[in-house]
């Protein structure tokens, strides 16, 4: 008896993956739950365990090729007692149910709140009437979600009725009955690059395909940069005492399995900042003209890996200690670098932090990760002469750069937000005054 093992649903909104490595070959005996291949999405890499046991007789998955959920990965001969449809693998369970009540606890807006839905994964992909999924790429689906459009209502003009970004935009314009001049209605077109001389005219070149992380990073950042009016606010925190604290307690956190870094401390402080300044923990629904305030505090942390930028999420940081956050951060960063991060840990961020200080640099302008509305950039802390009480003193100063969506956040609020972070790093006991 033969049994097919099909690609399971690995996480919400993930319908396509790229097979990066096959871990078994024809003739191999496979146990249930044994990893049979490595896959990559735009956000994560993970192993896919088999939901069936048997001997591999045929492999349909191909390294380097895309696969859709439900496609047959391999055929096995065996006793046929296992189910052919795999459940969500242990390494990548479906998004935690615990997320849902939090999202529901948020005030229910009268119109759809796409941003909230994006932050708290939806229970099912959008379906057309009947059960056929609408053909549309994840980026098109995301845009539709962000501007409050049900993609199943949009007529696709692409091949095979595929819904394109333009289809979503024109549907949105029609839905709004927007009377603005046509030139202002469309999103700013990407500037066309001037014709460049063929690169080969100057010497040897090598063309390599973008990996899936690079492709999605390119897509997402272009979307964020062209749709969000970014402003970046800079400030510096005096972390001289924080550095003493890190030296004093670093060993204790290390013994618990974490690393007491500036990132871990900032992730924790951000919970306080986001509670004090809720507009930084929000999303904007342009179509409904509404702002969704999230009552949970999930911080995405940009991790530099050899595949590109990966952003795992530390959830509910307000309920966790710095030590717990430090341990989680260390584990998540290691998983991201080993291509083992779980798909569900890449979702649901309400704010992101990007610390380039370990690498170097004096300041930078991070790009917001929609549907979030702000991101904190951290550059290298350095000892600098600071003029205090009539004399220069050596102080360790940490440069912070906060990029924010100017549609929902005003400059003065951004300045207050970063100053609050700086003041709290300088005087952490001040936190006790408000809590
Ligand atoms: N200033 C000075 N030193 C810093 C620092 C800062 N802002 N941030 C980190 N460091 C130091 C740490 O203290 C550590 O020093 P020791 O080894 O002497 O203790 C060292 O740099 C390395 O830190 P780390 O990377 O192990 O730990 P972290 O928690 O500070 O950072 C992570 C974790 C995942 C954020 C980081 O490893 C990383 O990947 N950063 C890059 C993020 C990135 O690429 N952002 C760009 C996004 S936009 O394209």
């Amino acid at each position: 008896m033969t049994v097919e093992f099909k690609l399971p649903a690995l996480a919400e909104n993930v319908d396509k993956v790229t097979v990066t490595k096959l871990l078994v070959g024809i003739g191999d005996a496979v146990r249930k739950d044994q990893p049979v291949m490595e896959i990559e999405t735009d956000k994560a890499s993970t192993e896919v365990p088999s939901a069936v046991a048997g001997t591999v007789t045929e492999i349909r998955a191909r390294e380097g090729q895309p696969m859709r959920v439900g496609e047959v990965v391999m055929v096995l001969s065996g006793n046929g007692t296992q189910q052919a449809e795999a459940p969500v693998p242990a390494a990548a369970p479906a998004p935690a149910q615990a997320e849902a009540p939090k999202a529901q606890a948020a005030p229910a807006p009268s119109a759809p709140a796409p941003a909230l839905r994006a932050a708290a994964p939806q229970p099912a992909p959008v379906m057309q009437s009947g059960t056929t999924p609408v053909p549309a790429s994840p980026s098109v689906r995301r845009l539709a979600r962000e501007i409050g459009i049900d993609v199943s209502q949009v007529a696709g003009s692409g091949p095979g009725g595929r819904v394109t970004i333009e289809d979503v935009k024109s549907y949105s314009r029609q839905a709004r009955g927007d009377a603005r001049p046509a030139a202002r209605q469309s999103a700013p077109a990407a500037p066309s690059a001037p014709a460049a001389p063929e690169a080969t005219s100057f010497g040897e070149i090598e063309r390599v395909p973008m990996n899936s992380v690079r492709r999605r990073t390119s897509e997402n950042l272009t979307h964020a940069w062209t749709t969000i009016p970014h402003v970046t606010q800079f400030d510096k925190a005096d972390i001289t005492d924080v550095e003493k604290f890190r030296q004093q307690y670093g060993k204790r956190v290390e013994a618990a399995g974490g690393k007491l870094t500036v990132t871990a401390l900032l992730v924790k402080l951000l919970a306080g900042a986001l509670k004090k300044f809720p507009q930084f923990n929000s999303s904007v629904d342009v179509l409904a003209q509404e702002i969704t305030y999230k009552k949970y505090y999930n911080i995405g942390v940009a991790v530099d890996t050899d595949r590109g930028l990966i952003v795992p999420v530390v959830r509910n940081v307000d309920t966790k200690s710095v030590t717990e956050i430090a341990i989680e951060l260390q584990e998540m960063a290691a998983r991201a670098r080993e291509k083992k991060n779980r798909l569900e840990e890449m979702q649901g961020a309400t704010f992101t932090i990007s610390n380039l200080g370990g690498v170097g640099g004096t300041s930078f302008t991070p790009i917001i990760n929609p549907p979030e509305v702000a991101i904190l950039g951290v550059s290298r802390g350095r000892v600098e002469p600071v003029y205090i009480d009539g004399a220069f003193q050596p102080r360790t100063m940490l440069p912070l750069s906060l990029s924010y969506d100017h549609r929902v956040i005003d400059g003065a609020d951004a300045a207050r937000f970063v100053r609050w972070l700086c003041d709290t790093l300088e005087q952490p006991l001040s936190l006790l005054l408000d809590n």
Side-chain angles (χ1 to χ4, degrees):
M1 172 166 185
T2 60
V3 59
E4 291 177 338
F5 168 53
K6 295 178 184 168
L7 183 68
L10 298 163
E12 297 296 341
N13 299 326
V14 175
D15 52 6
K16 195 172 149 196
V17 305
T18 301
V19 178
T20 48
K21 196 169 180 190
L22 290 167
L23 303 175
V24 293
I26 297 207
D28 285 358
V30 168
R31 296 181 316 278
K32 184 171 180 286
D33 294 332
Q34 176 181 335
V36 290
M37 64 177 183
E38 288 176 4
I39 57 100
E40 197 173 82
T41 70
D42 57 305
K43 288 187 169 173
S45 294
T46 193
E47 290 175 342
V48 178
S50 177
V52 296
T55 303
V56 180
T57 55
E58 186 187 343
I59 300 180
R60 299 201 193 153
R62 294 276 173 272
E63 285 185 6
Q65 295 296 313
M67 279 202 94
R68 291 198 170 275
V69 169
E71 280 188 289
V72 176
V73 173
M74 55 185 63
V75 181
L76 304 99
S77 67
N79 58 19
T81 53
Q82 310 292 345
Q83 73 276 33
E85 290 288 343
V88 172
Q97 287 300 314
E99 274 286 273
K102 285 193 183 304
Q104 284 158 9
S110 52
L116 182 60
R117 277 189 266 121
Q122 293 163 261
V126 181
M127 306 290 272
Q128 274 173 330
S129 50
T131 54
T132 319
V134 178
S137 70
S139 57
V140 171
R141 289 180 193 286
R142 182 176 318 108
L143 173 70
R145 263 201 316 276
E146 280 168 23
I147 61 176
I149 300 282
D150 177 352
V151 80
S152 68
Q153 303 300 314
V154 181
S157 66
R162 202 170 177 78
V163 178
T164 66
I165 288 216
E166 257 325 304
D167 294 336
V168 172
K169 284 183 187 163
S170 52
Y171 181 91
S172 154
R173 285 198 290 270
Q174 278 168 18
R176 274 187 294 171
D178 199 332
R180 287 177 299 163
R184 293 196 55 208
Q185 287 181 18
S186 49
S192 54
E198 182 54 46
T200 46
S201 1
F202 303 108
E204 195 189 347
I205 61 159
E206 185 189 1
R207 284 174 81 100
V208 292
M210 288 178 164
N211 68 21
S212 56
V213 175
R214 177 64 47 209
R215 278 200 303 272
R216 185 51 73 82
T217 302
S218 152
E219 227 174 65
N220 288 350
L221 292 183
T222 305
H223 171 66
W225 190 247
T226 51
T227 56
I228 301 175
H230 280 72
V231 180
T232 306
Q233 172 72 21
F234 300 96
D235 210 331
K236 274 183 186 177
D238 184 336
I239 57 161
T240 312
D241 293 337
V242 168
E243 287 303 278
K244 284 186 199 142
F245 174 84
R246 286 205 314 124
Q247 276 165 17
Q248 210 173 341
Y249 292 97
K251 287 267 177 296
R252 186 159 135 186
V253 177
E254 210 174 297
K259 193 168 168 191
L260 185 54
T261 60
V262 167
T263 311
L265 289 165
L266 277 170
V267 166
K268 180 65 191 174
L269 280 192
L270 279 169
L274 295 173
K275 281 186 178 172
K276 190 159 180 73
F277 302 92
Q279 66 272 47
F280 290 82
N281 204 46
S282 73
S283 296
V284 58
D285 180 342
V286 178
L287 191 71
Q289 303 269 289
E290 285 180 350
I291 297 170
T292 301
Y293 293 94
K294 294 157 205 169
K295 310 289 180 180
Y296 50 93
Y297 305 91
N298 295 346
I299 309 295
V301 181
V303 178
D304 174 38
T305 78
D306 56 8
R307 284 168 300 148
L309 195 61
I310 304 274
V311 189
V313 180
V314 187
R315 289 171 190 259
N316 304 315
V317 293
D318 55 326
T319 65
K320 290 176 180 163
S321 70
V322 172
T323 303
E324 285 170 321
I325 290 170
I327 296 168
E328 211 173 306
L329 250 181
Q330 178 124 321
E331 291 173 352
M332 280 182 168
R335 278 199 294 274
R337 289 179 176 135
E338 289 162 14
K339 301 188 181 179
K340 296 228 160 84
N341 51 311
R342 301 164 187 154
L343 296 176
E344 89 281 5
E345 75 188 14
M346 316 297 294
Q347 298 175 321
T350 59
F351 185 98
T352 294
I353 181 169
S354 175
N355 180 5
L356 278 174
V359 185
T362 53
S363 52
F364 68 107
T365 54
I367 299 180
I368 298 161
N369 191 16
E372 296 155 45
V373 293
I375 177 169
L376 184 71
V378 186
S379 297
R380 170 157 289 189
R382 282 194 175 81
V383 178
E384 294 176 6
V386 178
Y387 198 68
I388 303 171
D389 295 336
F392 281 106
Q393 295 183 24
R395 307 292 296 178
T396 307
M397 302 302 290
L398 184 73
L400 300 178
S401 26
L402 175 83
S403 293
Y404 59 93
D405 184 335
H406 212 343
R407 292 173 299 182
V408 279
I409 294 166
D410 296 328
D413 288 335
R416 283 184 204 108
F417 183 92
V418 193
R419 200 62 323 259
W420 186 92
L421 279 175
C422 296
D423 288 343
T424 312
L425 278 167
E426 288 160 20
Q427 296 288 343
L429 282 180
S430 65
L431 267 182
L432 301 179
L433 298 175
D434 294 333
N435 290 293

